[in-house]
Amino acid sequence: MPDLLSHALLAYILATVASWRFEWITRPYVTVAMAGAFIPDMTKVMLVFPSARVEQLLGIPFDWIGLHTTGAALCSVLVGVLLVAKTERARVFLLLAVGAASHLTADAFLLKPTGVSYPVLWPLTRIHPPTPGLYLSTDVEPAIVLGAVALVVYAVTQSRNRRRRSSQSSSEETA
């Protein structure tokens, strides 16, 4: 579970910091980025429906790990975009993609016994890039560090919002 929390916190940090520059990234859009961070972990469905069982039912080679690639994440983002109003699609696409990309990037740094990552850029290439092996998905430390950074980002955001509200109210009083 620390892995999933870490992905959500990373997406929160990225989207919130981006909201400092782009005012259209409001709290609901930050939530969209966090939802995007869960997209590559759709592979967890294999815990309920093992790949071998699905392969047996379909009669063709099958593996859920394909959902944990750039190509599958892009397809999932496009499906998510179709679920919102046309006026919101560009923004939702961008933020779902940021969340999914942050997840895939963070997972590319996982410690693997083979020393190589999964085929991150599939279907563009089947290359398994080397991984620096910074942490395990079960490590709690990344969640703790990202949680601390998220708290700092939250505090800075609240401070910026208070400052903005006070400057708006003081300019209204002088007008």
Side-chain angles (χ1 to χ4, degrees), residues 2-3 7 14-15 22-23 30 53 56-57 64 68 70-71 86 90 106 113 119 122 135 141 143 164 168 175:
D3 180 45
H7 291 304
L14 293 173
F22 304 103
E23 289 190 21
V30 171
R53 174 75 68 187
Q56 184 181 21
L57 289 170
W64 289 110
H68 202 276
T70 301
K86 285 183 181 180
W122 185 88
Y135 48 84
E141 291 83 2
R164 187 179 313 131
Q168 286 175 350

Side-chain angles (χ1 to χ4, degrees), residues 34-125:
M34 293 170 70
F38 297 134
I39 288 173
D41 270 346
M42 289 188 307
T43 58
K44 300 285 195 251
V45 76
M46 77 176 98
L47 298 173
V48 179
F49 302 108
S51 297
R53 174 75 68 187
V54 175
E55 185 173 319
Q56 184 181 21
L57 289 170
L58 296 176
I60 57 173
F62 184 85
D63 195 348
W64 289 110
I65 199 65
L67 293 176
H68 202 276
T69 61
T70 301
L74 178 61
C75 289
S76 298
V77 166
L78 292 173
V79 168
V81 165
L82 292 175
L83 300 176
V84 298
K86 285 183 181 180
T87 57
E88 300 293 318
R89 286 185 179 165
R91 293 175 175 184
V92 168
F93 174 82
L94 177 66
L95 290 165
L96 282 176
V98 164
S102 69
H103 182 127
L104 293 170
T105 302
D107 278 0
F109 290 99
L110 286 172
L111 176 64
K112 302 283 186 168
T114 61
V116 295
S117 187
Y118 58 96
V120 180
L121 297 176
W122 185 88
L124 301 176
T125 178

